[in-house]
Amino acid sequence: MHETSLQDTTAPEGVCFGCGSRNHHGLHIKSHWHEDGVHVVAEHLPEAKYCGWPDLVYGGLIAMLVDCHSNWTAMAYHYRHEQREPGSLPRIDCVTGNLGIKFIKPTPMGMPLTLRARVDGDVGRKSRVICEVYAGDVLTAIGDSIFVRVDTSQLAAAAHGRDA
């Protein structure tokens, strides 16, 4: 994956802990369209500090990876649906409406995780994203979540109790 990530193209000023390029303490998840044109993919190698049980990845980290990567998948689909390049204005933003994670098998530490996501159904204000997490060739978790397209200025105002 040599092309610029969706995060770096669309939100280079991003401060999200999971995917923000400017968060010095964050995970710096980088999502890219897969060559199949259907899936958005990312890879992440968990650091030892994200261990849950001995030699296993902490489930909360898996949830965070699924959340951020799935959100970027929803946004990428919106750009494509509008026949626009990621990063073109006005910017498209989505937030998590519902995050669902099903843990299939224990996820081992020490190996890169591959996240493979796609929008399932229509691309609308609310979009369903399915995200699979693989450790090598082994499916270890599946995210089934809803992401909502938002106006971030209204979202920030609502979060701080101000009128939008």
Side-chain angles (χ1 to χ4, degrees):
M1 291 186 239
H2 299 287
E3 75 273 10
T4 304
S5 70
L6 292 165
Q7 291 85 347
D8 291 339
T9 300
T10 306
E13 75 291 346
V15 295
C16 173
F17 180 77
C19 60
S21 299
R22 293 257 171 104
N23 188 324
H24 301 293
H25 304 287
L27 301 177
H28 303 128
I29 297 166
K30 303 294 183 193
S31 304
H32 304 268
W33 275 107
H34 187 270
E35 61 191 26
D36 68 9
V38 174
H39 294 92
V40 176
V41 296
E43 287 194 2
H44 182 76
L45 179 61
E47 295 178 43
K49 65 184 174 183
Y50 296 108
C51 188
W53 289 90
D55 297 322
L56 298 178
V57 178
Y58 172 56
L61 175 68
I62 294 169
M64 184 182 343
L65 293 170
V66 167
D67 185 23
C68 283
H69 181 64
S70 295
N71 192 27
W72 280 99
T73 298
M75 290 185 286
Y77 266 79
H78 276 282
Y79 277 107
R80 186 167 75 177
H81 182 72
E82 294 180 10
Q83 299 178 346
R84 296 172 44 203
E85 289 295 316
S88 63
L89 297 176
R91 190 166 116 178
I92 293 172
D93 290 296
C94 294
V95 296
T96 310
N98 179 303
L99 181 64
I101 307 286
K102 181 177 182 182
F103 296 97
I104 309 293
K105 293 186 178 209
T107 304
M109 291 296 294
M111 63 185 335
L113 304 180
T114 301
L115 292 95
R116 187 174 173 216
R118 63 179 169 75
V119 168
D120 183 46
D122 294 333
V123 177
R125 181 169 176 269
K126 294 182 179 181
S127 299
R128 180 182 184 202
V129 177
I130 305 298
C131 180
E132 301 169 328
V133 180
Y134 291 89
D137 294 331
V138 178
L139 178 65
T140 65
I142 299 175
D144 186 348
S145 308
I146 302 295
F147 292 86
V148 183
R149 188 167 174 173
V150 295
D151 176 326
T152 55
S153 63
Q154 291 177 356
L155 184 69
H160 294 280
R162 299 185 295 258
D163 291 330

